[in-house]
Every structure is written in structure tokens, then in C-alpha cells.
Amino acid sequence: MAESLRSRVGDVESSGAATALLDVLLPVTVDGRPNRQRIAADVVLRQRLAVIVGGPGTGKTYSLARVLAALLTENPGRTFAGKIVRTARSIDNATRTLLAEIDVDNA
């Protein structure tokens, strides 16, 4: 499994459209301080594999929805992310949140 993960790790080139959209959706700073959600989003944009963790209510799904919107702007119709969670309820909650936050018809 470790070798499989290593083969997926690496930098990804971006045309900049995703970063430009994230500048609007997840500002670099909030109240003059670095936006940790944006830092995580930037990692996702630069890497083939990224793991984002945090407790309940820290913005993981919120940030993922915005990253997906940005990636779909650059690459319409492409699949980008999987989310590993511990329970079926978590999967259901994450799916509902993502669908509510992304205009699926225009993605």
C-alpha cells in the first residue's frame, strides 16, 4: 500500500484559473491572519495526493467544495477527489454539503 501511495504523490501543474477562483472563494488571509483552509486548499491544488484532517466544524468539507469548484473550472468533467470517512452518516453528510455548495449543473 505504501508503494502505491508513493507512486501517486507528486506536484501537479495548474494553469492558474483554479488559484484565481480560490482567491475569491477562500481568501489567503482572514482578519489579517493566514487562512488555514486556504493553506490546505493550496496543498490540494499542488499535489496529486493530499490528506486533510481536522475535528468537526473545522471546514474540511467547506474547503473541499471550494477546491472542487476551482478544479472543475480548469478541468470540466474530470473526477478529482475521494473522501474517506468513518461512517455512512459522515459520507451522507459530506455528499449533501458538497452538492449544496457546488452548482452541479454548471460545474
Side-chain angles (χ1 to χ4, degrees):
M1 183 170 170
E3 187 57 39
S4 176
L5 289 174
R6 279 189 209 103
S7 71
R8 290 175 171 83
V9 176
D11 292 340
V12 176
E13 289 189 35
S14 171
S15 70
T19 301
L21 182 55
L22 275 183
D23 287 342
V24 175
L25 299 176
L26 284 172
V28 174
T29 59
V30 175
D31 297 327
R33 297 184 354 212
N35 182 349
R36 291 182 181 195
Q37 292 174 341
R38 175 56 187 264
I39 293 167
D42 286 338
V43 169
V44 171
L45 287 180
R46 289 192 318 266
Q47 300 295 314
R48 293 185 189 280
L49 176 68
V51 178
I52 307 300
V53 297
T58 56
K60 297 174 301 294
T61 302
Y62 178 89
S63 299
L64 178 59
R66 279 135 187 85
V67 168
L68 287 174
L71 288 171
L72 287 170
T73 297
E74 267 188 5
N75 304 283
R78 190 161 173 208
T79 301
F80 291 97
K83 185 171 181 176
I84 300 171
V85 294
R86 287 184 240 179
T87 66
R89 174 183 268 174
S90 296
I91 293 170
D92 186 53
N93 289 342
T95 301
R96 287 176 194 270
T97 301
L98 288 171
L99 291 175
E101 292 189 16
I102 295 177
D103 183 357
V104 177
D105 294 329
N106 293 316

